[in-house]
Amino acid sequence: MNDRSPTLAARVSYQALRDYLATRQWQSMPSRLSYAAIYRSPGAGEVEVQIPLDPDLADYADAITFAARRISSFEGRPMEQVLRDLVQPRSDTVRYALSGVATETGTIGLVAGLALVEGALKSLLASACSVQRPRRFHPRMTLTDAESYVRACRLGQTEIGSFVLTVDTPLDIHDQLDASETPFGRRATTLLFESTAYLARSIRQGEAARVLDDRPDAPLVSANLCDALVEMMPPDESADLRLSGAWSPLIPAPTAVPVVIHFDRTMFESVERLAQQLRPSQSTEGTHFVGKVVELSGAPNAAGQLEGDVILQVQADDQLLKVRVALAPKAYADAGTAHFAQQYVSVHGQLHRGRRTHGLRNPTGFTILPA
């Protein structure tokens, strides 16, 4: 048993455990004990769980642990996950996991870990924006309810697995649940699972293009969601990405919604391509960008002058993007000056989206902005 299980079990409310079982169609059975309730599993009803009804009982944590062990065996998932779901009954749980040779120790590179966290945040925000305003692309993910939803999300403790990031997502962004309709937070989490499952299934079946079509029987997949998935994928394609989840016991779980979605590394390129195709076409006139030079990687030309690629960090669509741009000697020299002086630069061009670093085509007007 994991050392943290007793601590988690002591924090579980018996009311939350009863609600958890009831919303999963476990049946309440007669009990001869006034301090215990009995529930029988759905279907053949071969598993029974006894719930302690008094948190002051000396063996309360042990009884909760025993119940959680039986539930985990019945559901086929780790007991600690069951306990964590019971500790946060007002939240749904989303788990983002990277699995592969590089993560077998349960650790991950710092840069890849930061990208996983940032991508997870963007995936939740993209789904919340699509609930509030359904569309294929959100140029600015700044909708009020969507931002409130993401601000209320909380990181859970790491779990056993290759590398698992746990996020507790609120059922609702308001103080009190409205029983007359599905809460906003549940709708956002549901759309996240529906959209990612549909996306993964379409790619796996060789029909990725159907994601681009507006189908009344299919969940909406946005470019922003695809961007978020791409960001979470390791740049060296050394691991698969898995999403999984658990529903709060306070309201019935949605039916026919997959809660385990697998993107293997062979699917990364397709997700990236769909992210580009779901975006509106870029204007041929180009766009104005302002940012800072973060990397210089040019080389001397035939005349001995430095020219070539620089990496800029610019603001676009309310996101910080790394953009690669090829510069002639004069502009490259200006880029070097701006880099060492930490000054902002300005440039026009056509943005071409990539996985980690994007490209800027036909750059013009590269200048250093006044400090």
Side-chain angles (χ1 to χ4, degrees), residues 3-318:
D3 290 339
R4 289 178 291 189
S5 296
T7 302
L8 289 170
R11 294 167 53 196
V12 173
S13 160
Y14 68 86
Q15 294 100 328
L17 180 51
R18 295 183 74 163
D19 290 341
Y20 182 96
L21 296 176
T23 57
R24 285 157 177 77
Q25 285 75 54
W26 288 59
Q27 298 297 314
S28 177
M29 306 301 294
S31 173
R32 297 185 216 178
L33 304 175
S34 61
Y35 55 82
I38 298 175
Y39 279 79
R40 182 172 293 172
S41 61
E46 297 176 351
V47 179
E48 285 192 352
V49 169
Q50 182 171 291
I51 302 175
L53 302 180
D54 185 353
D56 293 328
L57 292 170
D59 62 346
Y60 179 83
D62 291 338
I64 293 291
T65 300
F66 186 76
R69 184 179 293 113
R70 286 202 163 186
I71 295 169
S72 71
S73 177
F74 177 78
E75 296 182 350
R77 63 193 187 105
M79 182 177 69
E80 186 174 318
Q81 285 190 5
V82 174
L83 288 171
R84 290 194 182 283
D85 295 342
L86 292 169
V87 167
Q88 294 285 355
R90 291 182 64 87
S91 300
D92 292 328
T93 301
V94 183
R95 297 179 175 90
Y96 300 84
L98 292 175
S99 58
V101 175
T103 61
E104 286 181 347
T105 61
T107 63
I108 192 174
L110 179 60
V111 173
L114 290 173
L116 184 66
V117 172
E118 186 67 21
L121 185 152
K122 290 178 181 176
S123 72
L124 293 165
L125 185 57
S127 296
C129 284
S130 292
V131 167
Q132 190 172 350
R133 187 177 298 170
R135 57 174 55 178
R136 292 291 186 180
F137 173 61
H138 303 279
R140 292 178 176 81
M141 294 195 292
T142 55
L143 301 179
T144 302
D145 284 356
E147 288 189 318
S148 297
Y149 165 74
V150 171
R151 280 197 297 269
C153 290
R154 300 184 63 84
L155 282 176
Q157 289 182 303
T158 55
E159 299 180 359
I160 296 174
S162 294
F163 186 83
V164 183
L165 175 69
T166 303
V167 182
D168 294 323
T169 63
L171 282 181
D172 202 279
I173 58 176
H174 307 296
D175 294 334
Q176 185 174 0
L177 295 177
D178 183 355
S180 65
E181 62 177 16
T182 303
F184 180 89
R186 170 57 63 83
R187 285 185 284 148
T189 307
T190 299
L191 181 59
L192 173 65
F193 285 121
E194 288 178 331
S195 298
T196 51
Y198 178 62
L199 175 62
R201 185 169 62 251
S202 298
I203 295 173
R204 193 168 283 114
Q205 294 174 349
E207 299 180 358
R210 70 186 182 190
V211 173
L212 304 174
D213 300 331
D214 291 322
R215 300 182 177 219
D217 60 340
L220 183 145
V221 177
S222 69
N224 309 82
L225 177 61
C226 292
D227 284 339
L229 294 172
V230 168
E231 185 160 355
M232 286 185 276
M233 297 169 181
D236 58 356
E237 299 184 358
S238 59
D240 297 346
L241 173 67
R242 292 179 183 269
L243 275 68
S244 61
W247 306 111
S248 165
L250 288 188
I251 58 176
T255 58
V257 176
V259 289
V260 179
I261 300 97
H262 179 202
F263 290 91
D264 62 69
R265 62 204 75 182
T266 63
M267 301 164 65
F268 293 178
E269 185 177 342
S270 296
V271 177
E272 181 180 3
R273 186 164 51 249
L274 287 169
Q276 297 171 3
Q277 293 172 328
L278 286 165
R279 288 178 173 272
S281 300
Q282 294 291 330
S283 170
T284 57
E285 297 179 357
T287 306
H288 177 227
F289 297 96
V290 173
K292 284 189 174 182
V293 179
V294 295
E295 184 179 328
L296 298 162
S297 55
N301 59 17
Q305 298 172 306
L306 286 175
E307 64 180 9
D309 289 350
V310 303
I311 303 294
L312 308 178
Q313 188 172 64
V314 303
Q315 187 85 14
D317 299 333
D318 282 353

